[in-house]
């Protein structure tokens, strides 16, 4: 009798497990079906948000590795001639009198002036790679050119327009390059009142440019997530992307949404950011400003960039108004 009841009890337990498993499977199937049914609507919403990102990232420059071939060669030659060491003499020194620089070797001076020709002609991508450290390699050449005894308003204007192009057209890394070069050039202009007219003739930086650079950076990230698509990736519907590429696109959209309302107020970026995450941009920033307190164990974030850019805009305006 007891054995019969035990078998009956076991059957009931297994039946309960079976029912529970069936319910679980049905729930999973139903949930998956509901997710699939709702996916087109979610993808359509993602496409609408993505269109705002691409529009805000304009202009998206084509990738043309051959553009800066000659510039890379010239930079390599300038580095062989000691350009980096000369440039470091001016780093972090604030306002610099070009007489403090001293005469450059004739060979290096010749190469620097040829680099200036390449920059002025626009034969450089705004996301200039140029090997290790990429765009960072341009900074010593621009810093030296700005502080030569022969550097007049025309040269400073050419260099400043190049720096502003990096801010308006490049990724976040290129934006930081342009920002660093702009600060160096403002140092030079502030030290010579005769150069103040250069600022008046050039479009000043606008607060929205940092947000646009962030969007361009996001678009480039999605392109790298599926490199075979290249530029075609920008216009592809979300439904046609694989799961990884769609996920990256969704992350970019989420970041864009967080900062969108503050696009014209970069100094307030810190109010919406979460925790700064380490990455290539942070390492690039530390390379640009190795002597700054911010680079010692601190990972810069959009809030940090926003504050620094707002200060740079104010300085530009202050120089123009004072001139």
């Amino acid at each position: 009798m007891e054995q019969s009841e035990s078998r009956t009890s076991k059957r009931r337990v297994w039946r309960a497990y079976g029912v529970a498993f069936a319910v679980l499977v049905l729930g999973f199937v139903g949930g998956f079906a509901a997710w699939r049914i709702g996916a087109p609507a979610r993808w359509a919403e993602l496409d609408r948000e993505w269109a705002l990102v691409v529009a805000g990232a304009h202009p998206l420059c084509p990738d043309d590795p051959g553009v800066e071939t000659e510039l890379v060669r010239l930079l390599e030659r300038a580095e062989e001639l000691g350009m980096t060491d000369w440039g470091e003499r001016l780093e972090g020194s604030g306002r610099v009198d070009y007489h403090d620089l001293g005469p450059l070797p004739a060979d290096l001076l010749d190469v620097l002036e040829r680099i200036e020709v390449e920059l002025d002609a626009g034969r450089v991508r705004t996301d200039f790679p140029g090997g290790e450290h990429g765009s960072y390699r341009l900074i010593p050449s621009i810093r030296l050119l700005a502080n030569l005894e022969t550097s007049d308003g025309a040269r400073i204007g050419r260099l400043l327009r190049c720096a502003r192009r990096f801010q308006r057209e490049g990724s976040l890394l290129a934006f930081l390059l342009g920002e660093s070069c702009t600060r160096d050039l403002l140092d030079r202009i502030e030290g010579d009142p005769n150069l103040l007219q250069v600022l008046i003739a050039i479009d000043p930086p606008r607060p929205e440019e940092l947000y646009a650079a962030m969007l361009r950076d996001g678009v480039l990230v999605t392109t790298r997530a599926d490199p075979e698509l290249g530029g075609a990736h920008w216009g592809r519907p979300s439904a046609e992307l694989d799961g990884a590429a769609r996920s990256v696109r969704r992350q970019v959209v989420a970041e864009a949404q967080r900062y969108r309302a503050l696009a014209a107020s970069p100094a307030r970026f810190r109010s919406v950011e979460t925790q700064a995450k380490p990455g290539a941009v942070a390492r690039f920033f530390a390379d640009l400003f190795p002597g700054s307190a911010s680079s010692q164990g601190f990972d810069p974030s959009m809030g940090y960039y926003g504050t620094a850019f707002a200060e740079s805009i104010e300085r530009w305006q202050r120089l123009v108004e004072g001139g």
Side-chain angles (χ1 to χ4, degrees):
M1 183 69 175
E2 291 180 359
Q3 291 180 348
S4 177
E5 289 179 355
S6 176
R7 285 193 297 270
T8 301
S9 178
K10 289 181 179 179
R11 282 197 298 270
R12 287 174 180 171
V13 170
W14 282 109
R15 189 179 300 117
Y17 279 135
V19 171
F21 180 75
V23 170
L24 182 64
V25 171
L26 288 174
F28 176 80
V29 172
F32 181 75
W35 181 85
R36 291 294 298 176
I37 292 172
R42 290 195 301 275
W43 293 340
E45 176 62 23
L46 179 58
D47 285 340
R48 285 190 290 270
E49 287 294 321
W50 178 247
L52 294 176
V53 170
V54 174
H58 183 78
L60 287 165
C61 299
D63 188 25
D64 185 1
V67 169
E68 76 288 328
T69 301
E70 176 63 11
L71 184 59
V72 171
R73 189 187 69 79
L74 289 171
L75 279 175
E76 290 173 347
R77 177 56 180 156
E79 288 165 351
E80 292 173 358
L81 295 170
M83 175 187 71
T84 303
D85 292 337
W86 282 90
E88 287 178 351
R89 297 187 187 186
L90 303 176
E91 185 174 10
S93 57
R95 186 173 66 83
V96 177
D97 188 325
Y98 56 76
H99 293 294
D100 296 336
L101 183 62
L104 293 180
D107 289 348
L108 176 57
L109 181 59
D110 176 64
V111 175
L112 286 173
E113 290 178 342
R114 288 157 64 192
I115 288 174
E116 181 185 358
V117 171
E118 292 294 307
L119 295 175
D120 186 46
R123 289 191 287 267
V124 53
R125 282 186 295 167
T126 51
D127 283 301
F128 175 68
E132 188 178 2
H133 297 302
S135 304
Y136 180 58
R137 299 176 68 189
L138 278 173
I139 292 176
S141 61
I142 293 177
R143 183 177 289 144
L144 285 172
L145 284 166
N147 287 283
L148 294 175
E149 188 170 1
T150 55
S151 295
D152 55 8
R155 168 172 285 163
I156 300 300
R158 286 192 294 269
L159 296 175
L160 192 55
R161 279 189 290 271
C162 180
R164 293 287 295 119
R165 176 175 170 245
F166 274 80
Q167 287 178 303
R168 291 192 303 266
E169 300 178 13
S171 66
L172 198 52
L173 291 177
F175 182 93
L176 294 177
L177 165 68
E179 175 66 4
S180 176
C181 292
T182 297
R183 277 196 299 272
D184 281 336
L185 292 164
L186 289 180
D187 285 342
R188 181 70 175 86
I189 291 170
E190 191 172 18
D192 188 344
N194 295 323
L195 297 175
L196 288 174
Q197 292 300 313
V198 171
L199 291 182
I200 299 175
I202 295 176
D203 290 337
R206 296 181 297 102
E208 297 86 352
E209 289 174 350
L210 177 57
Y211 180 70
M214 186 185 80
L215 297 185
R216 281 192 294 274
D217 207 62
V219 173
L220 291 172
V221 166
T222 62
T223 301
R224 287 192 284 270
D226 197 348
E228 292 184 1
L229 293 176
H233 192 293
W234 305 341
R236 289 281 295 261
S238 297
E240 296 181 8
L241 302 179
D242 61 31
R246 194 183 302 123
S247 177
V248 173
R249 177 176 288 189
R250 192 175 291 111
Q251 292 172 20
V252 171
V253 163
E255 284 295 291
Q257 290 173 325
R258 288 173 58 206
Y259 292 97
R260 184 176 297 154
L262 302 178
S265 305
R268 296 176 55 205
F269 277 7
R270 198 182 297 276
S271 66
V272 298
E273 69 186 10
T274 53
Q275 184 177 0
K277 300 177 181 179
V281 173
R283 292 193 297 272
F284 184 83
F285 194 93
D287 284 337
L288 285 181
F289 311 106
S292 67
S294 62
S295 66
Q296 304 301 317
F298 174 70
D299 191 6
S301 60
M302 287 304 298
Y304 186 87
Y305 303 142
T307 300
F309 186 47
E311 292 172 352
S312 183
I313 293 174
E314 290 178 4
R315 184 184 180 195
W316 184 302
Q317 293 173 339
R318 189 167 59 249
L319 286 173
V320 170
E321 293 169 0

